[in-house]
Amino acid sequence: MGRSGATGQVHLIGNVNLDLVVGPVVPWPVAGTERIVERREARVGGAAGVAAMALQALGTPFRLHARIGDDAFGDLVRREMGAAGAQLEVVRAPTGTSVGLTHPHGERTFFTELGHLGALDTDAVAVALERSEPGWVLVCGTFLLPSLRGDGGRRLLRRARDAGHRLLFDSGWPSEGFDSGVRGELDALLPLVDMVLPNEAEARAWAATDDLPEAMRRLERAGGRAVVKRGAAGASWLERGDVRTASAPALVVADTVGAGDAFNAALLVVLQAGGPLPVAVSRAVGYASRVAATAPRRYPEELPPA
């Protein structure tokens, strides 16, 4: 997609870390045993890290507001990110690392050590957004960034909104689960954003209902549009209260780690260029599916047609 008609710079705020993807694992191992797996891959991870890799491959300029540790893992991440890695602020801390265990049915389980992720300066990010022309801001991986929790996250989103930016929000899954406190924390952010991008499990847990259409309606009543990522089922959104779905292509999936973040990046590319939401969702589903089918992980340089 050409850049003609594109409006506003894209900003990414979130976690960049090292992912060690291992699997598939089945059944779940018993404590004290050992399991041989088919594959492993060390690669750029984190919600903002994967989105940055996808945007860079697609040729979409962006500003990355994220940090990385000053150790060998951090050096690996910056090197693998190429030009985007130069945007990372290096801090004196070990690089946060996620071990992603893949499962044969396509899902994954993460074990994450935060490391440098506790060091994001939200006030500095807010100032940078206020000094930028109004554009598109994706805030992601918030539950792995302590400074984006609670008042810190609300202040950042409010300042970004007041500066004229359009806000997309993808929190990820809270390690403590979706209890009433987490739901209240997220509900306070909904009026500040233009779109929320949970996966299906997150949407159901956030809205406290197993009924997906009702979950989407509850989220939209509190804030912006809801686009729900549904893995092999594609992605869904609401049109006049009814669920619409863009189906995923039939591809052999290598692993789904980061597929939702690649979806977010592709969605941004189409929306920034003025594309309508149904087209953006369809092309984002196709792009994320292609990413998830690569091993080792690669990011295509073109979006698929709608």
Side-chain angles (χ1 to χ4, degrees), residues 206-284:
W206 184 348
T209 177
D210 288 332
D211 186 309
L212 181 61
E214 178 58 23
M216 297 171 69
R217 296 184 188 107
R218 289 182 187 181
L219 294 178
E220 290 203 355
R221 281 196 292 267
R225 300 291 298 270
V227 176
V228 177
K229 294 166 285 191
R230 304 179 61 194
S236 298
W237 71 100
L238 294 176
E239 291 287 351
R240 297 184 177 87
D242 295 326
V243 175
R244 299 287 184 264
T245 297
S247 299
L251 296 174
V252 177
V253 172
D255 74 75
T256 62
V257 176
D261 307 310
F263 173 96
N264 293 347
L267 188 80
L268 262 175
V269 170
V270 182
L271 293 176
Q272 187 221 20
L277 183 61
V279 172
V281 175
S282 177
R283 301 188 79 180

Side-chain angles (χ1 to χ4, degrees), residues 7 12 29 33 40 43 65 71 96 109 117 136 142 160 164 166 176 179 205 230-231 236 253 256 272 297:
T7 57
L12 299 180
T33 64
R40 64 100 181 100
R43 66 191 190 215
H65 305 271
D71 55 9
T109 303
L117 296 175
W136 297 80
T142 55
R166 302 186 68 174
E176 65 267 47
D179 58 23
R230 304 179 61 194
S236 298
V253 172
T256 62
Q272 187 221 20
R297 174 58 50 86

Side-chain angles (χ1 to χ4, degrees), residues 66-132:
R67 292 177 165 182
I68 199 69
D70 65 346
D71 55 9
F73 284 172
D75 292 343
L76 173 62
V77 169
R78 287 189 291 124
R79 183 171 65 252
E80 291 296 314
M81 291 187 75
Q87 296 192 50
L88 292 169
E89 180 185 355
V90 179
V91 295
R92 294 185 61 81
T95 295
T97 303
S98 286
V99 178
L101 301 180
T102 65
H103 308 294
H105 51 71
E107 278 300 334
R108 73 284 187 274
T109 303
F110 286 117
F111 295 88
T112 299
E113 187 273 326
L114 292 180
H116 75 283
L117 296 175
L120 183 67
D121 186 342
T122 54
D123 286 333
V125 173
V127 169
L129 294 175
E130 289 167 341
R131 292 175 177 173
S132 302

Side-chain angles (χ1 to χ4, degrees), residues 39-201:
R39 57 184 294 263
R40 64 100 181 100
E41 184 181 351
R43 66 191 190 215
V44 175
V50 172
M53 294 292 284
L55 288 174
Q56 184 169 247
L58 291 168
T60 298
F62 61 92
R63 176 115 180 245
L64 178 60
H65 305 271
R67 292 177 165 182
I68 199 69
D70 65 346
D71 55 9
F73 284 172
D75 292 343
L76 173 62
V77 169
R78 287 189 291 124
R79 183 171 65 252
E80 291 296 314
M81 291 187 75
Q87 296 192 50
L88 292 169
E89 180 185 355
V90 179
V91 295
R92 294 185 61 81
T95 295
T97 303
S98 286
V99 178
L101 301 180
T102 65
H103 308 294
H105 51 71
E107 278 300 334
R108 73 284 187 274
T109 303
F110 286 117
F111 295 88
T112 299
E113 187 273 326
L114 292 180
H116 75 283
L117 296 175
L120 183 67
D121 186 342
T122 54
D123 286 333
V125 173
V127 169
L129 294 175
E130 289 167 341
R131 292 175 177 173
S132 302
E133 292 295 323
W136 297 80
V137 178
L138 171 62
V139 181
C140 50
T142 55
F143 287 120
L144 298 178
L145 295 160
S147 62
L148 283 180
R149 301 289 302 264
D151 291 340
R154 285 192 295 273
R155 283 196 303 270
L156 175 60
L157 291 178
R158 187 175 296 110
R159 290 172 68 176
R161 184 198 60 181
D162 291 346
H165 296 285
R166 302 186 68 174
L167 302 177
L168 281 64
F169 181 73
D170 184 357
S171 68
W173 186 276
S175 61
E176 65 267 47
F178 279 90
D179 58 23
S180 60
V182 166
R183 292 192 185 101
E185 178 184 342
L186 292 176
D187 288 346
L189 301 179
L190 280 174
L192 301 174
V193 304
D194 296 280
M195 188 177 295
V196 290
L197 302 168
N199 65 31
E200 187 167 356

